[in-house]
Amino acid sequence: MEFIQQDPELAAYLAADDVIDHDHPVVREVAADLARQAADSYVYAQAAYEYVRDAVPHSHDTGDPRVTWRASDVLRQRTGICYAKSHALVALLRAEDIPAALCYQRLEGVVHGLVAVRFHGAWHRQDPRGGRYGGSVPFSLAGERLPFTPRQESSDMDYPVLYAVPHPMVLEALRKAPDRARLWKTLPTSL
């Protein structure tokens, strides 16, 4: 699939904002801990991915009713759905000057959140969800290793756009939901 950067400037994929708040002390602390153990940016990116995949459980898997959307809150509360986990991973990557984007799929009638990281002049999608119920899909720059793929016989699809900020429909659903049960009823079904 050929990706389309929503913003042509690579600097947009390094920026901080209210959601991807990589300048927040919580994000900076996690990033610094991971960076101390990383020999280079690739090792750091892999460690950040594994941290979000493994240390931040998907709230559906654990039954956690809380809805997180800001990267620092996801890392502090250690919970979130796919979108929130993606926000956290993008923030950790950008905290160490690694360009990262948000991207999406439609799977089984619901929009699913992913991350694309830029290495060697190309974008590589990763899924910090990790698979259902704590699956451990590895970080990969050598071909996609996503746990979920669109089924050809359905209306599933990969969206090719790489977003520097969360899609407005995704962010609105997260911000308005008082708990995960109500969020499930308002998740975007397409973009």
Side-chain angles (χ1 to χ4, degrees):
M1 174 172 52
E2 189 170 329
F3 297 115
I4 302 164
Q5 287 182 209
Q6 182 192 32
D7 191 312
E9 297 297 322
L10 198 54
Y13 299 93
L14 292 167
D17 63 18
D18 190 41
V19 180
I20 311 298
D21 58 343
H22 65 75
D23 51 356
H24 190 282
V26 169
V27 178
R28 301 301 309 169
E29 181 181 342
V30 173
D33 287 345
L34 294 170
R36 270 193 287 281
Q37 302 168 37
D40 58 33
S41 60
Y42 174 81
V43 173
Y44 173 82
Q46 181 176 1
Y49 168 81
E50 290 171 355
Y51 181 86
V52 173
R53 182 194 68 195
D54 301 341
V56 180
H58 192 284
S59 58
H60 178 71
D61 296 351
T62 61
D64 194 323
R66 296 174 292 171
V67 175
T68 54
W69 51 270
R70 184 177 287 119
S72 57
D73 292 337
V74 174
L75 295 173
R76 181 177 39 249
Q77 296 179 38
R78 295 210 179 181
T79 190
I81 67 167
C82 62
Y83 309 134
K85 289 174 65 100
S86 294
H87 299 168
L89 178 55
V90 167
L92 288 173
L93 293 168
R94 291 181 185 180
E96 289 297 313
D97 295 320
I98 299 170
L102 297 159
C103 48
Y104 303 93
Q105 298 174 310
R106 184 175 61 221
L107 301 169
E108 300 178 12
V110 176
V111 174
H112 175 61
L114 305 167
V115 170
V117 60
R118 189 164 177 90
F119 272 102
H120 311 299
W123 290 100
H124 307 273
R125 291 191 305 172
Q126 313 294 323
D127 190 343
R129 166 76 165 93
R132 293 191 196 277
Y133 309 108
S136 59
V137 176
F139 181 84
S140 175
L141 300 183
E144 288 192 337
R145 309 261 322 257
L146 301 178
F148 310 108
T149 55
R151 296 171 299 138
Q152 291 181 342
E153 69 278 2
S154 71
S155 64
D156 290 0
M157 68 179 292
D158 284 311
Y159 292 101
V161 177
L162 301 175
Y163 295 89
V165 297
H167 191 283
M169 290 172 61
V170 167
L171 195 53
E172 180 180 7
L174 289 168
R175 283 182 167 162
K176 286 186 174 182
D179 57 43
R180 189 179 44 80
R182 282 177 260 191
L183 173 62
W184 244 233
K185 296 175 184 174
T186 61
L187 290 175
T189 57
S190 66
L191 297 179

